[in-house]
Amino acid sequence: MTEQVPPTTQTEAEAAAEDADAEEVADSSAGTGAASVVTALENAGVEYLFGVQGGAIMPVYDALYDSELSHVTMAHEQGAAHAADAYGIVSGDPGVCLATSGPGATNLVTGIADASMDSDPMIALTGQVPTDFVGNDAFQETDTTGVTDPITKTNYFASDEDTVGDVVGEAFAVADEGRQGPTLVDLPKDVTQADTEREPGEAKTPDTYNPPEEADAEAVEAAADAIAAAEKPVVLAGGGVIKGEATDELRAFAREYEIPVITTMPGIGAFPEDDDLSLEVAGMHGTGYANMAITHCDVLVGIGTRFDDRLTGGVDSFAPEAEVVHVDIDPAEVSKNVHADYPLIGDAGRVIDQLDDELDRRPDPSDRYAQWREQVQAWKAEYPMDYATPDDEPLKPQFVVEVLDEATGDDTVVTTGVGQHQMWAFQFWNYTEPRTWVSSHGLGTMGYGLPAAIGARLAADDDQSVVCFEGDGSFLMTIQELSVAVRENMDITVAVLNNEYVGMVRQWQDGFFEGRRMASEYSWCPDFAKLAEAFGARGFTVADYDGVEEAVQEAVDYDGPSVIDFHIDPEENVFPMVPSGGKNGKFALQTEHLDQL
Amino acid sequence: MTGGLPGPSPDERPHPDGRRNSQGVRIDPAVEAEPEPRRAVLSATVKHEPGVLAAVSGLFSRRQFNIESLTVGPTEEENRARITLVIEEPEPGIEQAKKQLEKLIPVVSVTELETDATQRELALIKVEGDKPDQVQSVAEMYGGEAVDVSQETVTVEITGSRQKVEAAVETFRRFEILEVVRTGTAALERGAEETK
């Protein structure tokens, strides 16, 4: 556990003297480094902070006492980071999390790494021991900037009370501009306590940071030539389309030229899945038709994607006959994993417009793509997403996902943990809007769903539903955040797809480790409905088809947090599946196929 | 069967002939094309502030770039330092190293130097001191000089290209080398061309 305040022994006289000091500190917080930090947060338009109190961050909390900012006290710092991350995904503005030094800061690390892998805008503010103690292994000291160097876009050790507000402002600007990502400011206690009369200036990125806007005109021309000459083009839309607010441009572009659209998992919602041109998600557990289209296309227009290995499978077999057009705001992503024949470095929306302008000058190629569109539709018919639902079978998780989708609006925000339930939650839910899918992609953090739902709830509109899918194993990792959802009376429906396994591990053990189910069985699962009630939430248990719709309706209607523990078929697996490093075109549709891969 | 979906099995589906190499480059399936590594000298101008060197070296180690040497020092401009990095990688790795380096916020600019750029490193070579005259003569052959002489040892300073320093170290082995320290490569473009 995090020990937040150093244990002390003191006389009553000393305690009284300290109380007097504390009052003095409180009175003077208006002109301190901590007050500058809070002013910088206010200037950046922050509404909510997610954090946990502790010794070294106390001056900042003291300054927050006088501010209008809403602080959500989380049960654990990891929860604070995930909540801030999800707030950033749903709102588009950086979410803010706070923690004290040492264990507080290190508990943020998983959440920061998660935001980093998924390019989510986030600010982490950490307390630090006083400057004079830094480097001496003082109580609750950690080299926080050292620890977080590889998992932040950039980080700062704020060493001066006169500039600490500017540093926080810069951290905001850097997190938000260009390719978004997490930044961290480490705040030594003496710096936040020290007096300063200086107000933070305008928040801006440093002069060394200049993200590109428009792509090079000649490169756009060449890429447009390739698209115009293609027979079998696809667009692969990644999370960058949503982060770059380019969904309108993407939709208009794909529909104008009638090009089929595939999304990556972070790109879910960039293109409506009920559109004929949508092939939904490609990759390890993507649809068969998306993976067939990727495998057979001749031009692939990747926008805002980093070609993660869960998408590409073995890179040697990825889109093997395609020329690749790669649009990205981060030059380092271009040709990192898959060589780009046409690199277009710039803002997604701007570059799509540039491509559109170029293609407008050429004969409309959309008729020529007709045969390809027919082929793609044939694949849709050949590899439909389906599951078996005879009444006598145990409850299927896919059915639960579909019922929840039906019972809630199109703009419902879905958050998930990591595992089989996460895959069913994107496969069997119909996403049509950006910023409605909140999940841990790059890092694959179990336990992400519930704290993410808390952040998402505060970023979403009041009339938007928030549904969190968790597995039993994943839910147990951050279940303590239920206390926060209850305390803040958050309208969140948690659907636990409970198979008493760490299901994805069990699936891999069955498929690739000869069924040796080492440490994947959770036969000691608690009663989640009772646990929810103990936290003060509504709890339901559903073990068969008959109870699903009623429980879902009741949970969705309830104005507060509810948990439905769905006892699903424990042996259900996620298909299609491309084994790790395999060929996208050789996906398994059932267990027997795994032997053929 | 658990959770199976309809559709033909993997072997019954059409599969294209094309492929990419391990760098993700589309290649002729009949030809093996794995690029050879080459030596590249990168020069980075950075903000002269604490933590920059750690950020750069950490980046190179966690991305597994094969680093040969790294030197750093202040420049003619206040608040600016120059880092010279020598790496050996196949072509995509060199491009990736440059781009990743450019992404670091305190990095102002990154450039790969021409192969004919002025490249120098410095070595201090401490040898047994029983033949000081001969040591001095060899040092002079390499344009170096003895910078410290005691009864037991002679320390020689050699400055030059990496190859020259290596040749000098080899030659001094005849006097029994006690210690060697080398700086790694520092480099600038030739003539009026600016090293950005």
Side-chain angles (χ1 to χ4, degrees):
Chain A
M1 278 306 295
T2 310
E3 193 179 355
Q4 288 154 3
V5 180
T8 54
T9 53
Q10 55 186 359
T11 65
E12 277 183 25
E14 282 169 343
E18 237 174 59
D19 284 348
D21 284 351
E23 273 173 32
E24 202 173 295
V25 169
D27 288 345
S28 63
S29 68
T32 61
S36 287
V37 170
V38 173
T39 304
L41 295 174
E42 289 167 346
N43 291 348
V46 171
E47 276 186 273
Y48 295 100
L49 309 160
F50 304 90
V52 180
Q53 258 281 27
I57 196 73
M58 283 179 75
V60 176
Y61 274 81
D62 185 61
L64 283 170
Y65 192 85
D66 299 319
S67 86
E68 299 287 312
L69 300 177
S70 300
H71 179 269
V72 181
T73 305
M74 303 296 289
H76 187 282
E77 288 88 352
Q78 184 187 347
H82 291 326
D85 179 9
Y87 183 91
I89 294 169
V90 176
S91 72
D93 300 321
V96 184
C97 55
L98 290 104
T100 194
S101 63
T106 55
N107 279 349
L108 287 180
V109 164
T110 301
I112 298 171
D114 195 295
S116 175
M117 289 287 271
D118 289 348
S119 311
D120 299 330
M122 190 171 105
I123 305 281
L125 302 175
T126 48
Q128 183 54 278
V129 300
T131 316
D132 285 351
F133 290 17
V134 169
N136 293 344
D137 301 329
F139 177 72
Q140 292 195 328
E141 186 194 353
T142 297
D143 173 10
T144 304
T145 53
V147 168
T148 58
D149 228 12
I151 53 167
T152 50
K153 198 168 162 186
T154 197
N155 62 26
Y156 305 84
F157 181 85
S159 55
D160 182 352
E161 61 273 15
D162 287 335
T163 58
V164 64
D166 293 333
V167 169
V168 171
E170 183 177 309
F172 250 92
V174 171
D176 202 21
E177 286 185 27
R179 178 180 177 175
Q180 294 178 320
T183 58
L184 179 142
V185 185
D186 202 26
L187 301 161
K189 194 172 184 181
D190 58 323
V191 171
T192 49
Q193 276 180 316
D195 290 334
T196 175
E197 294 308 316
R198 210 167 151 267
E199 291 278 310
E202 190 190 341
K204 56 179 190 220
T205 57
D207 54 5
T208 56
Y209 185 63
N210 298 299
E213 291 183 5
E214 286 202 341
D216 175 71
E218 276 183 30
V220 173
E221 214 175 303
D225 282 339
I227 295 168
E231 304 279 338
K232 304 182 287 181
V234 291
V235 169
L236 176 69
V241 173
I242 296 168
K243 301 255 158 47
E245 300 288 355
T247 48
D248 288 347
E249 287 87 347
L250 169 79
R251 291 169 184 213
F253 180 82
R255 284 168 178 157
E256 184 177 354
Y257 303 105
E258 296 184 68
I259 301 175
V261 179
I262 295 165
T263 73
T264 66
M265 263 178 72
I268 288 172
F271 196 77
E273 293 183 344
D274 54 6
D275 192 302
D276 272 354
L277 288 170
S278 171
L279 302 180
E280 298 153 61
V281 179
M284 181 174 279
H285 291 297
T287 62
Y289 31 99
N291 280 325
M292 287 299 277
I294 279 217
T295 304
H296 292 272
C297 67
D298 63 358
V299 165
L300 186 148
V301 185
I303 309 172
T305 173
R306 61 192 179 87
F307 293 105
D308 176 79
D309 56 272
R310 283 290 191 272
L311 166 76
T312 61
V315 74
D316 57 340
S317 58
F318 179 75
E321 296 185 332
E323 291 199 287
V324 172
V325 178
H326 191 173
V327 179
D328 210 292
I329 199 159
D330 180 357
E333 283 309 330
V334 177
S335 296
K336 186 181 81 179
N337 296 330
V338 171
H339 175 75
D341 302 284
Y342 303 97
L344 302 178
I345 318 276
D347 168 74
R350 294 281 286 277
V351 179
I352 294 171
D353 281 344
Q354 284 180 279
L355 274 174
D356 192 17
D357 289 347
E358 271 301 324
L359 280 167
D360 271 347
R361 296 196 194 112
R362 293 163 172 74
D364 185 356
S366 54
D367 284 348
R368 197 153 28 77
Y369 304 156
Q371 202 180 337
W372 172 238
R373 283 193 297 272
E374 271 176 40
Q375 172 64 71
V376 163
Q377 293 302 330
W379 280 328
K380 273 192 180 181
E382 212 168 344
Y383 310 101
M385 292 300 289
D386 206 356
Y387 59 94
T389 55
D391 290 344
D392 56 351
E393 274 203 278
L395 180 59
K396 295 289 181 183
Q398 300 94 329
F399 179 76
V400 172
V401 174
E402 285 179 341
V403 170
L404 267 154
D405 189 7
E406 282 290 309
T408 55
D410 286 347
D411 58 355
T412 298
V413 178
V414 173
T415 76
T416 79
V418 165
Q420 285 183 319
H421 67 279
Q422 179 189 24
M423 302 300 135
W424 291 315
F426 82 74
Q427 288 180 333
F428 291 90
W429 188 288
N430 189 32
Y431 296 90
T432 55
E433 299 302 325
R435 305 193 183 284
T436 58
W437 165 254
V438 181
S439 195
S440 168
H441 309 106
L443 200 66
T445 307
M446 287 174 69
Y448 179 84
L450 178 58
I454 289 169
R457 179 68 275 169
L458 293 175
D461 292 338
D462 287 345
D463 55 1
Q464 264 180 293
S465 301
V466 174
V467 172
C468 165
F469 286 100
E470 276 287 6
D472 45 308
S474 188
F475 192 35
L476 280 172
M477 289 202 169
T478 56
I479 197 167
Q480 70 275 22
E481 302 301 343
L482 210 45
S483 65
V484 180
V486 171
R487 189 194 330 119
E488 303 284 336
N489 192 33
M490 291 178 158
D491 191 5
I492 294 167
T493 304
V494 180
V496 186
L497 303 182
N498 181 354
N499 57 7
E500 299 195 351
Y501 282 114
V502 191
M504 194 59 93
V505 171
R506 197 264 299 138
Q507 178 170 341
W508 281 43
Q509 286 171 333
D510 288 352
F512 312 113
F513 293 88
E514 298 168 350
R516 292 150 60 89
R517 296 179 172 186
M518 178 68 198
S520 60
E521 289 168 308
Y522 273 23
S523 51
W524 38 268
C525 247
D527 181 331
F528 287 117
K530 279 189 182 167
L531 200 50
E533 299 282 352
F535 273 111
R538 291 287 310 273
F540 305 86
T541 304
V542 177
D544 55 38
Y545 283 96
D546 292 341
V548 175
E549 282 171 17
E550 193 186 340
V552 162
Q553 206 53 55
E554 214 174 317
V556 168
D557 289 346
Y558 176 60
D559 185 18
S562 51
V563 175
I564 319 176
D565 184 11
F566 291 102
H567 292 194
I568 60 162
D569 183 350
E571 299 297 323
E572 185 68 6
N573 284 332
V574 182
F575 287 107
M577 179 179 195
V578 180
S580 182
K583 298 179 175 181
N584 279 350
K586 288 200 108 182
F587 45 87
L589 292 164
Q590 47 198 269
T591 306
E592 289 73 12
H593 288 171
L594 290 170
D595 297 336
Q596 297 176 28
L597 305 178
Chain B
M1 192 188 87
T2 54
L5 295 171
S9 71
D11 290 341
E12 293 163 16
R13 295 173 211 147
H15 293 287
D17 297 328
R19 73 178 186 93
R20 297 174 183 276
N21 66 14
S22 59
Q23 273 77 35
V25 181
R26 202 157 46 97
I27 54 170
D28 181 340
V31 182
E32 288 294 328
E34 295 294 335
E36 287 295 313
R38 71 177 175 85
R39 184 173 180 270
V41 181
L42 306 182
S43 184
T45 312
V46 301
K47 284 187 170 178
H48 200 181
E49 62 186 26
V52 180
L53 186 59
V56 169
S57 59
L59 166 72
F60 275 71
S61 82
R62 72 176 166 269
R63 292 201 179 265
Q64 297 281 293
F65 293 124
N66 191 6
I67 192 162
E68 187 180 294
S69 78
L70 185 156
T71 63
V72 60
T75 67
E76 73 287 358
E77 273 183 88
E78 206 183 337
N79 305 326
R80 291 279 185 271
R82 187 183 298 285
I83 296 176
T84 309
L85 280 147
V86 183
I87 59 171
E88 198 167 313
E89 284 284 329
E91 202 61 59
I94 291 170
E95 277 308 302
Q96 187 59 209
K98 285 199 281 204
K99 288 173 176 174
Q100 291 292 344
L101 203 48
E102 276 167 353
K103 263 177 81 166
L104 296 177
I105 303 277
V107 171
V108 180
S109 64
V110 179
T111 182
E112 183 183 347
L113 298 187
E114 301 287 340
T115 46
D116 69 344
T118 308
Q119 299 181 28
R120 290 288 180 274
E121 78 171 68
L122 178 145
L124 296 175
I125 306 163
K126 188 187 284 183
V127 298
E128 287 282 0
D130 49 357
K131 297 170 189 159
D133 294 350
Q134 288 183 34
V135 171
Q136 176 68 12
S137 306
V138 174
E140 281 171 8
M141 280 166 53
Y142 287 97
E145 58 178 329
V147 289
D148 179 63
V149 182
S150 71
Q151 290 212 331
E152 293 83 23
T153 65
V154 181
T155 302
V156 172
E157 173 194 320
I158 302 287
T159 310
S161 68
R162 184 177 57 120
Q163 293 85 343
K164 176 176 153 185
V165 170
E166 272 169 12
V169 172
E170 270 313 302
T171 310
F172 278 107
R173 287 196 191 284
R174 70 179 63 177
F175 304 113
E176 189 164 353
I177 293 176
L178 300 171
E179 287 178 300
V180 173
V181 61
R182 293 168 62 166
T183 57
T185 300
L188 281 180
E189 292 287 16
R190 285 191 182 274
E193 196 173 338
E194 195 185 341
T195 312
K196 284 182 188 147

